[in-house]
Each structure stands twice: as C-alpha cells, then as structure tokens.
Amino acid sequence: MSELIPHSPGDAISVRAQAAEHRADLMRQKLEVAAKQEELRTDLERQRREMEAEFRRKTAELEAMMAPMQKQLAQMTEILWTVNLYLGRDEEVCTLREGAPAPESTPITLRQKVLAMSEEALVLGLDFSNVQDFTDWLLPDPRHLDRVLPEPKGCVVLVPTKVPSDSGNPWEDAGRDQANAQSHWLIRNGERLYMISVDPALHVGDRVLPRRREFADIFDQKLFGVSSGAPVQPGSERWLQLEERADARRRHYMRIMMVLQGVLDRTTIWQPQPAGASFLDISSQDRGQIVLIQDDEDSIQLGDGREPFADYQRRLNAQLRPGLRVIGSWRNQHSHSRDDGPGRVRPKYAEGLEHNVPYLLEDRRDHGFVIRFKRTDMVYRRNVPVPGEPGYVYRGESPTEAKQRASYQLYSDDNWVLPFDLVTVPELERYLASRDERSKHFLSMVPTIRAALDAKRAEAKKEAPFRVLLRGMLLNAGADHESVDELLEDLVHWFKLRTTWCKPLNGDPQHEKRAADQIVEEFSARSAATTDAELLERMVSAGRQLEGSICVARNRQGEWHAYRPTPYAPQDERVYIDVTRIRRNGTFGATRTGQILQQRAAALLHVAWNSEEWDNWQFSANRRQYITPAERSDLVERLSDEAGAGLLAIVEYFNPKMPDRRGLGAYVWTGEDPASAETIPSRTPLDGRVKLISKWVEKDMQGAVRLSGSTNPYMGGWSGRMFRETFGGFDGSPYGSVPWRVADSPHRRAGDPTLVWIDERKMGAAAEWRDRGIAAHEEQQAQREKLSARSYRYVAAVQAIIMERRRDEEREKFVEDYGPNADDLWAQHLAAQHTDSPVHDRTLWGIIGSRIMRGGDPAGVTLAALNEECHEYGNVAPGAWHPTSGLQNLKGYDDIVVPEVDPTG
C-alpha cells in the first residue's frame, strides 16, 4: 500500500486516478460474479419448475386413476351405511308404554317437521343429558302426546333442543351441539309408544320430508336469496354440480325412508299394519296406507292467521303508562343500558329484582318507565347501632339493610317485557300453544309468558271469592249462564284497565265495592247497546261514511261517536283525533278536534267497528309532549315575529323516541333581497347568508305552550343534531338541498326535521341566488382547472431540466470515483441512485401558476423571477396551495429558465 501514499499534489492526482481505475476493475469483477450467480440461480429455478411440473403431471395421472375407485368406494360405503340403517345395526328401541295397538286399517302417518323436546315440553335446559325429563312430561297427560303426535299410528322425529350450547368452551359446545342434534324417533301405535334412536351419523336436519320445491330450488340460481334470472343450462358444468347436490339430497331423504321401512319390515312396532304398506312405494300413499303431513312447510306458507307474537307484544307495549303492571325477564344494567344514559338499575349494582314477577309502573323517567323493588343486598353506613348494646354504634362503615327501594328503568320497545294488565289468559295460551311462536321466542319470552299465565291464574285464585259474588250479580242482571264466565273475565280485565293504578280485586272492601258497581253498570250498558241491532247497524254505517273514520264507538253515556285522525304533522302521527257525534237518526253533530284519548278513556268505549289504525293508536301519549295544529300555528306566528322580514322557512324537530324534546328552527335571510343580491361564488353560498334561530317548545301542566331559550344544535348522545346550521342536507325538495326532510320521502326516519312553514317566494328567490352562486363557483373551478393543467405542463418541462442537471452532476461524481473509462458501469450505477427531484411539483406549480393566473407567460422567465413575483402577489395560485411564508426554496435551481411548451398539452 505504500505506493498509494502521495508525496506531492501531483502524486495525489495520480494516486486518485489509479484508485479509481482499480475500483472500476473490482466493480467489473463484482458484476461478472453477480451475473454468473444470477445465471446459476435462473437455471436452478428453471429445473425446479420443470420438476414441479413433472410432479404435478404424475400426481394428476395417479389421481385420474384413483378417482373412479374412490368414487366407487364412497358409493359402496354409503350403500353399506344405508343398508345398516335399514337393518337397524346401531338402532336402539325403548318401549315407553304398552297397550292395545291401533286397528290394521289405520294409516301410518309421518310428520315432516323435526320437533325440539325442550320447546314441546317448555323446559329450559332440557338437552341430550336429560331426555328422560321429556318422556316424564309426555306420558302422564294424553294432551301432551296429542300435541306432539296426535295421530293414533305414526311417527315424529325429535331432537333434544335446537338452542346452541354456550359454555364458553368452543370444543365442548361443538360436542354438545352434535349430541343435541341426534334424532329420536317417537312412534305411536294406538296405546303403544316407542322411542327409537338410530346411527348418530344420520343427521336428520329440520325435516324428514323434502319441501315441495326443494329440488327445483336447487336449480334456481340465487344470490342472497334472490333469483339471478339466468336459468342453468342442462348439460353444463354448473348443471352437473347442481344435479349432484340434488341427488345427495334425494339420497338423504331416501335414507330416512329406509329407517322407517326397516322398522316396518323387521319389527312388530306398527303391527297390525296395512298389507303391502311401504314408505318407498308411492302407491301406498295413493291407497291411503301411508300419510305424509307437510307440517313444516304448511306452517310457513299458511300460518295460523293470528297476529305474530312480536307484533302483538310491540302493539301492547306501546300502550304502557304509569299505573299498569309489567312482567319480564329483567336483565342487569350492563347488558341492557342505553348509550345515552346511565344503567337501568339505580343505585348501580342493587340486587333484589325478581325475574318474571309483576311490577307496577310507578313513574316516567327519561323517555321510559320506572319500577321499584325491595333491595336484598346490603348497604354500608356509618353509626350503625350495635346489636344488643343500646347507645353504642359502629363508627366506621358497616353493612346494613337498605331502607329505600331500588329502581329499574324500562322502555316501551323492550322486547323482554309484557304488559301484565293488557294481556289476557286466552291470548297467552294461544301463543304458547303455537309451535312456530314457541320456536321463535323459546329463550326470550316463553318463560315470561308462562310466568305471566301463572301469575294471572294465581291472582284469579285470590280473587275467586269476589269473582263468585260478581258472577252471581251478573246472572241477576241478566247475563247468560253459558257465557257468564267468559263475560266475567272480560269485565274484570276491563275494570283493571280503566283504573289509574291496577291491582288485584281482593283485600280492599272499598275497592271491591267500586269494582262491583262499575262492572255491573258496564254490563247493563253493553246489554242495552246490543239489544237494538238496527240502531247499531245505523250508527256503524253512518260513522264509516265519514271520510277518514277509523272507529265507531259508544261511550258510557250511550252517545255514539266517529273517530278520525286530526290532520297532523308526520311527527305527531297517531296522537290527535277528531271526535264527531253521531245522532240516532244517522246525522252528525259537533266535532271536537285535536283530542288525545288516554288508555283509560279508550277502555270505557264500546267499539262497534274499527280499522287496523285504531288498534295501533297511541293511547298512552303524554299531553305535555305533543302539540295540536292550532298550538303549532301559534308558535310559528311567534317565531315569525322574532325572525323578521327575512324569514324563509320554519322547521320542527321531534323524535318520538325522545318525546320531551321538541324544537322549532327558523332559517332567516340576512342582507339585501336575494333577487338583487350580488352573486357569491361558493359551493354553499347560503351558509353565509342564512342564519338559524332555534327555540325549545315547552308545555306546562296547564297546557300552555311557549318558546323558550335557544336550543343547542348539537343534542349529544344518539339523537345527533337537532337542526342543521348549514342550509342543506336533504334532497327531494323543489328548492334543492334543504335542512328538512320532505314529508313523503321514502328515506324519512324518526327525528328528521320537518317543514311546518315556508315563504315560497322568498325561498324560491334564495334558491335561485344559491344556484347562481354554485354555477359561478363551478365556472371558477373549471377555469382554475384549465390554468392548473397549463401550469403542470410547464412543471413537467422544468422538472425535466432539473433531472438532466441531476444526472450531469451524478456523472461528474461517477467519473471522479471510477475514472473516464468506466462507461460500462454507468447505467447500473445510475439505476442505483435516488434521482428524485429535490423541488416538489406543487412548489413549481404554485409559482408558475401565479403568473399564469394574472395573464402572464412563464416561458423565458427564470424560476427566481417567478418566485419573487409570486411572493409579491401574496403566493396565490390557481387552486389549493399551502406554500411556506416568504420565498419558496428552489434548492439552488433558481437560475433555470422556463422553456416553451405546447399549450394544447
């Protein structure tokens, strides 16, 4: 290395040249080794791909040879399994009951639907481990057997439960669910009863017979349950796949038939059986020997004609009010708290709320209702007396019994609550007897329904002495002996509903006397009303002719009225009603408009006819939370006076889910008349010209309505904004985007602002002014986009010059490092360098565009001059730009002269 040590400036230059040449030689050697290495790697990669291709080809050949054998093996395995099912290899037969068989001529009935033992017996927790509980329920009562299998000779398949296991252990849950899916075949032959279990590998599913369109539906191509409209072409690959799937389904149902046929052929379970009967021969069905009941499909298609339980529950819960009792499966405040408030239980974590026990609704709170219960947990207090030591107390905090009750808050849309005083025993019994309803609500409401029935019956038992007295009084008043019990139940239900605070009819003589008097009086009024059939028909006919009528009813004074909704704003739907007197000659008397019918008043009416809308009417509406059309007009007039001459529109906010919050908002034009106002180019020109004046609507105990304070546009919680401060947000109006939802919009939701007053001329002029501003803004944007595009053409040309300089600078460094004879290394060296431009495109765009905006031509001008000129005019460019303050940093390329470019791009 000593020869590389320079001794003079001339020697240094010589040494640098030698080092550069030596470095270039080493780089060439490195590149040569890298090239050979790449060549070797490429060759090895090619050999690997060839070997893999050969492996795949050989594998495919072997699979092609094995496929027919595997298919045949699978078919033989399936055949063997099916034969074993027919022979009953893994079958267990348990005789539940002996007795006389059904006659030989009795057909054998097979039910389609697979039932759940837990749902039939109404036993929560029944699963594969305690199937005996189901048989213990089934055998003692003949009605239970008739509910499950009413035919004297037949079969129904059951599983222990359809409720998924939820132990927290996924492996344990999978095993339990598999065990709960094992089928149990209940077979009846007269008095004889058998339970058969078959091979657990036979998973029956939800039905033992196919639905009528099951195989056809396989070939109806559907996406998310909707037909795609394109039929599958016979013979296509897709057709063959679907055919294979359909064939698998056919074989599944055939195996089920084979199980039954095996029982028929090799056992005496169904003997004496019809001669020649066969589950596999359709002629047996034609002869009536085998009967197939499509109970799974028929229940889906036909239903039972009653209101679904969910709708029934929702309708009754909408009528909740303080004074009624409720029963429910109460849950803790963590799983059922609302996002906009504290937990439901107060104090938090208080204990003592009993499930499925009736509680009285004592108050309203935060859009819901309050029940109260005695606490069973201990509370900590200071100075608790020491037991057995008079005058002594514990100084620290000590546990003691709570003196005050805790509360639980519920809402009318809670689907685990039943209004105890609004439901009736026959209704609950019908829903509990409905297999489909039991299946839908088995976990959620079946326990509550059963508890409600038990509580209703227990209350009736306590009231039995008083009911006996009432029964005699009704008979003395002329009630029919055959229907008096049903009448008594209806009248007791009626009386409890009409009272403010519902309670049992026992233990309070004064309450019982009032009940007896009013019940007998109600019976007499009903009897008098039904004796004149001609009058009844005349009143109903007259009432229905009144346009918009939804109910015709008689009150306790014997007066007839027609009820029809008062013309309302959409937010006050099903609240206000007009009551029109119907004279006995069929003519109409006076009409009282804007009435609110409370539940107690509605319960006193004798309804002769009503529409479905009457059934869904809000009889529990709070008068302080709603306003009449006349009250609304008065409020609008007051707000108009405050808004002044520029008033455009008044919008009302009301959300039925938060009925104590109602507000009015006035949108007011500020400045000169919109018809002559100067156009302001903007995407939202009205935001600066229209102001919002918003007020709360309050109604006191005496019914006086007023506007108070100013609403906070942001309400917080889930309710979001009350009014839009910006003028827009909802489409569909003739005035374009407006801050209210049009009344007939299909997208309308609860809580959307509603238009209640508008000055059409001013609103039209304001909308035209806004449209002019938007058009001017769009024209400006189009012009700016043209200028911006032109600027970028110059930017590209300047960047090309900068990059050329960068390459020249890098070339000089390369020659210094590798010498003048290393051109063969230049391309690879350049590719390895980071040669991005140090000046951002947007910086060049800004200083060039600034000149173009003012009509100047940047060609032939240096970047330094453009930079100074842009700074002089405030660094304004044809579009959004965020420059640094002062001159822009051009990284030393200030001297570049902007070249000419093609103006057309």
Side-chain angles (χ1 to χ4, degrees):
M1 292 295 289
S2 61
E3 66 274 10
L4 296 180
I5 300 175
H7 300 284
S8 66
D11 291 340
I13 296 174
S14 174
V15 167
R16 187 180 71 177
Q18 293 177 22
E21 184 177 352
H22 186 59
R23 181 181 181 184
D25 289 340
L26 289 175
M27 181 59 69
R28 291 187 184 94
Q29 293 175 22
K30 178 182 176 183
L31 293 176
E32 184 178 354
V33 172
K36 290 182 178 179
Q37 185 180 17
E38 179 63 21
E39 182 181 357
L40 181 60
R41 188 193 66 77
T42 303
D43 185 59
L44 290 174
E45 182 66 21
R46 178 186 56 78
Q47 294 181 35
R48 183 187 65 80
R49 287 196 301 268
E50 291 176 352
M51 292 177 66
E52 287 180 350
E54 180 65 16
F55 176 77
R56 288 193 296 270
R57 187 181 64 81
K58 292 290 188 183
T59 301
E61 290 179 357
L62 290 174
E63 288 178 349
M65 295 173 60
M66 290 290 294
M69 291 184 286
Q70 289 177 339
K71 186 175 182 179
Q72 292 178 12
L73 180 60
Q75 290 176 347
M76 293 304 299
T77 302
E78 185 175 350
I79 291 173
L80 182 61
W81 179 39
T82 304
V83 171
N84 284 335
L85 288 174
Y86 173 78
L87 296 176
R89 175 178 175 178
D90 297 303
E91 187 176 276
E92 293 183 7
V93 180
C94 176
T95 302
L96 302 181
R97 189 175 66 193
E98 295 284 359
E104 180 180 346
S105 59
T106 305
I108 301 175
T109 302
L110 176 62
R111 291 188 160 266
Q112 178 189 36
K113 187 178 181 68
V114 175
L115 307 180
M117 298 179 183
S118 58
E119 295 173 11
E120 296 303 312
L122 296 175
V123 177
L124 280 174
L126 194 156
D127 62 6
F128 69 94
S129 63
N130 53 356
V131 173
Q132 183 63 38
D133 292 350
F134 172 73
T135 57
D136 291 344
W137 167 84
L138 181 72
L139 295 177
D141 193 336
R143 294 175 300 176
H144 294 170
L145 177 59
D146 289 338
R147 177 195 296 182
V148 178
L149 183 57
E151 291 77 23
K153 183 181 289 187
C155 175
V156 64
V157 178
L158 302 103
V159 295
T161 183
K162 296 181 180 179
V163 177
S165 179
D166 187 19
S167 67
N169 184 331
W171 291 276
E172 179 183 349
D173 290 342
R176 295 180 68 87
D177 289 343
Q178 184 176 359
N180 283 328
Q182 183 175 353
S183 57
H184 298 260
W185 306 55
L186 181 66
I187 296 179
R188 180 177 183 178
N189 184 6
E191 297 176 357
R192 298 175 182 176
L193 205 59
Y194 306 90
M195 184 75 80
I196 297 179
S197 60
V198 298
D199 188 344
L202 179 61
H203 180 66
V204 175
D206 294 329
R207 52 192 173 275
V208 298
L209 298 172
R211 290 178 178 164
R212 295 179 179 92
R213 280 192 50 83
E214 183 162 343
F215 297 108
D217 285 343
I218 292 177
F219 290 87
D220 289 342
Q221 296 192 72
K222 293 188 177 182
L223 181 64
F224 304 118
V226 179
S227 177
S228 65
V232 183
Q233 296 297 323
S236 64
E237 183 178 355
R238 179 61 176 162
W239 175 276
L240 296 176
Q241 294 173 353
L242 296 176
E243 180 67 36
E244 185 175 349
R245 188 196 306 175
D247 189 52
R249 295 296 297 168
R250 292 189 190 98
R251 294 197 305 273
H252 167 75
Y253 290 118
M254 183 59 68
R255 280 192 288 273
I256 293 174
M257 294 298 106
M258 288 293 288
V259 172
L260 294 169
Q261 190 62 36
V263 173
L264 196 64
D265 291 345
R266 58 184 166 74
T267 71
T268 60
I269 287 177
W270 269 313
Q271 290 184 2
Q273 61 197 35
S278 173
F279 285 97
L280 306 177
D281 188 356
I282 197 170
S283 62
S284 294
Q285 300 178 36
D286 296 336
R287 293 193 300 269
Q289 297 174 325
I290 302 293
V291 177
L292 307 181
I293 297 180
Q294 303 282 119
D295 54 341
D296 180 55
E297 188 166 21
D298 291 340
S299 65
I300 295 175
Q301 293 176 343
L302 301 177
D304 56 11
R306 287 198 303 268
E307 181 182 22
F309 177 78
D311 295 344
Y312 165 81
Q313 181 188 24
R314 192 180 303 113
R315 175 171 58 82
L316 293 187
N317 281 357
Q319 302 174 28
L320 287 175
R321 60 168 175 82
L324 294 177
R325 291 174 293 174
V326 292
I327 188 170
S329 179
W330 315 112
R331 309 179 188 185
N332 62 58
Q333 67 271 28
H334 302 293
S335 60
H336 285 289
S337 61
R338 297 228 169 176
D339 295 337
D340 59 345
R344 291 176 179 258
V345 175
R346 299 182 188 180
K348 195 174 184 180
Y349 305 123
E351 299 176 1
L353 185 62
E354 297 184 59
H355 293 269
N356 298 325
V357 172
Y359 284 96
L360 182 69
L361 296 180
E362 299 187 16
D363 202 356
R364 297 181 187 268
R365 180 200 293 162
D366 297 337
H367 331 301
F369 304 94
V370 174
I371 61 175
R372 293 185 172 89
F373 58 94
K374 183 179 179 180
R375 297 180 63 173
T376 57
D377 57 318
M378 305 294 283
V379 296
Y380 285 83
R381 293 193 179 94
R382 294 181 179 275
N383 299 324
V384 175
V386 178
E389 299 289 340
Y392 289 88
V393 296
Y394 293 110
R395 295 299 182 187
E397 290 189 343
S398 301
T400 184
E401 292 185 1
K403 296 180 180 179
Q404 294 184 339
R405 294 179 301 165
S407 67
Y408 181 93
Q409 185 165 350
L410 60 93
Y411 301 87
S412 59
D413 57 354
D414 289 341
N415 60 5
W416 64 90
V417 175
L418 275 178
F420 183 77
D421 292 304
L422 297 180
V423 299
T424 65
V425 170
E427 290 172 340
L428 295 182
E429 287 178 339
R430 283 197 299 269
Y431 283 116
L432 205 57
S434 169
R435 180 167 287 140
D436 290 333
E437 294 292 352
R438 287 202 309 270
S439 181
K440 291 176 186 176
H441 307 285
F442 178 65
L443 284 181
S444 59
M445 286 310 297
V446 164
T448 302
I449 292 175
R450 295 186 68 184
L453 282 171
D454 291 342
K456 283 271 188 184
R457 290 164 179 152
E459 185 169 288
K461 187 175 181 180
K462 291 179 182 178
E463 297 172 347
F466 180 66
R467 286 180 177 239
V468 170
L469 174 63
L470 275 178
R471 188 176 187 276
M473 295 174 68
L474 290 174
L475 290 173
N476 292 334
D480 183 63
H481 279 270
E482 294 183 359
S483 59
V484 67
D485 292 327
E486 183 179 351
L487 174 65
L488 174 62
E489 185 67 32
D490 180 55
L491 287 172
V492 169
H493 180 71
W494 165 85
F495 174 78
K496 289 181 179 179
L497 272 186
R498 73 175 300 273
T499 56
T500 303
W501 301 99
C502 297
K503 58 182 180 179
L505 298 175
N506 68 302
D508 185 346
Q510 186 177 358
H511 181 60
E512 291 180 0
K513 181 180 184 305
R514 184 170 64 252
D517 293 342
Q518 294 184 10
I519 286 175
V520 173
E521 182 182 354
E522 174 67 13
F523 168 71
S524 301
R526 291 186 185 184
S527 300
T530 56
T531 54
D532 192 343
E534 182 181 349
L535 174 64
L536 178 66
E537 183 179 355
R538 184 165 61 249
M539 295 297 99
V540 171
S541 177
R544 296 188 66 174
Q545 289 177 10
L546 193 64
E547 184 178 0
S549 177
I550 62 173
C551 176
V552 178
R554 181 184 58 81
N555 62 18
R556 288 180 56 79
Q557 289 72 39
E559 297 174 340
W560 287 87
H561 295 90
Y563 298 82
R564 52 181 177 165
T566 303
Y568 48 73
Q571 58 268 36
D572 292 326
E573 187 178 14
R574 297 183 290 111
V575 174
Y576 288 102
I577 199 163
D578 291 350
V579 183
T580 302
R581 172 75 183 278
I582 308 177
R583 301 188 182 94
R584 289 184 171 266
N585 60 4
T587 60
F588 298 112
T591 297
R592 290 177 290 129
T593 63
Q595 303 296 304
I596 293 182
L597 278 182
Q598 295 297 326
Q599 182 65 51
R600 286 184 298 155
L604 293 174
L605 295 176
H606 301 283
V607 177
W609 169 86
N610 67 275
S611 67
E612 184 178 352
E613 188 174 358
W614 176 265
D615 293 332
N616 297 314
W617 200 258
Q618 292 192 58
F619 295 115
S620 58
N622 188 337
R623 293 178 181 275
R624 295 184 61 192
Q625 295 173 348
Y626 295 89
I627 57 178
T628 66
E631 291 170 338
R632 181 177 289 105
S633 298
D634 180 58
L635 293 173
V636 166
E637 185 176 351
R638 296 184 209 175
L639 189 57
S640 300
D641 293 341
E642 180 178 343
L647 180 62
L648 298 176
I650 295 179
V651 172
E652 181 177 351
Y653 170 90
F654 179 74
N655 190 337
K657 294 181 179 179
M658 304 177 67
D660 59 342
R661 296 180 180 181
R662 185 188 294 266
L664 290 180
Y667 291 92
V668 184
W669 175 271
T670 59
E672 58 183 309
D673 188 88
S676 57
E678 179 185 357
T679 300
I680 300 177
S682 171
R683 288 185 303 163
T684 55
L686 288 177
D687 289 351
R689 281 299 183 94
V690 177
K691 71 174 182 178
L692 170 65
I693 302 175
S694 54
K695 299 287 184 179
W696 289 113
V697 175
E698 294 184 351
K699 198 171 189 179
D700 60 24
M701 296 296 292
Q702 289 71 39
V705 182
R706 65 177 180 271
L707 296 174
S708 67
S710 176
T711 64
N712 181 358
Y714 185 73
M715 296 296 295
W718 62 267
S719 60
R721 289 190 176 273
M722 175 177 272
F723 298 111
R724 291 180 175 268
E725 294 180 279
T726 58
F727 198 90
F730 298 103
D731 297 326
S733 167
Y735 307 106
S737 182
V738 291
W740 63 82
R741 180 83 75 181
V742 295
D744 57 351
S745 171
H747 307 294
R748 184 170 186 82
R749 298 177 301 175
D752 283 343
T754 303
L755 179 68
V756 295
W757 182 92
I758 188 170
D759 187 322
E760 295 183 356
R761 186 195 66 79
K762 291 180 182 178
M763 189 65 240
E768 292 177 1
W769 182 85
R770 176 197 57 200
D771 294 342
R772 291 197 300 271
I774 293 175
H777 171 75
E778 292 175 349
E779 184 178 351
Q780 283 186 353
Q781 284 296 103
Q783 183 64 24
R784 286 175 179 171
E785 289 174 2
K786 289 182 181 179
L787 296 177
S788 179
R790 184 181 172 194
S791 299
Y792 271 120
R793 287 196 288 272
Y794 287 103
V795 169
V798 171
Q799 289 286 27
I801 296 174
I802 293 175
M803 294 305 297
E804 184 64 28
R805 282 196 184 183
R806 294 263 302 172
R807 283 192 292 271
D808 292 344
E809 292 167 359
E810 190 62 39
R811 176 68 182 179
E812 290 178 6
K813 294 179 182 179
F814 174 79
V815 172
E816 289 180 0
D817 291 342
Y818 292 96
N821 300 319
D823 289 345
D824 56 324
L825 302 176
W826 166 243
Q828 183 172 0
H829 173 80
L830 182 63
Q833 304 307 308
H834 296 288
T835 55
D836 294 339
S837 173
V839 185
H840 198 280
D841 283 354
R842 201 66 175 174
T843 301
L844 296 174
W845 170 86
I847 63 175
I848 294 173
S850 178
R851 182 177 181 87
I852 293 175
M853 278 182 65
R854 296 187 301 277
D857 186 358
V861 183
T862 64
L863 293 181
L866 292 173
N867 196 5
E868 292 177 358
E869 185 179 292
C870 180
H871 175 59
E872 181 182 351
Y873 286 95
N875 287 338
V876 177
W881 186 36
H882 305 285
T884 59
S885 60
L887 295 173
Q888 306 307 303
N889 185 358
L890 299 178
K891 308 293 185 180
Y893 295 99
D894 307 62
D895 61 318
I896 291 179
V897 177
V898 178
E900 293 281 355
V901 297
D902 182 0
T904 62

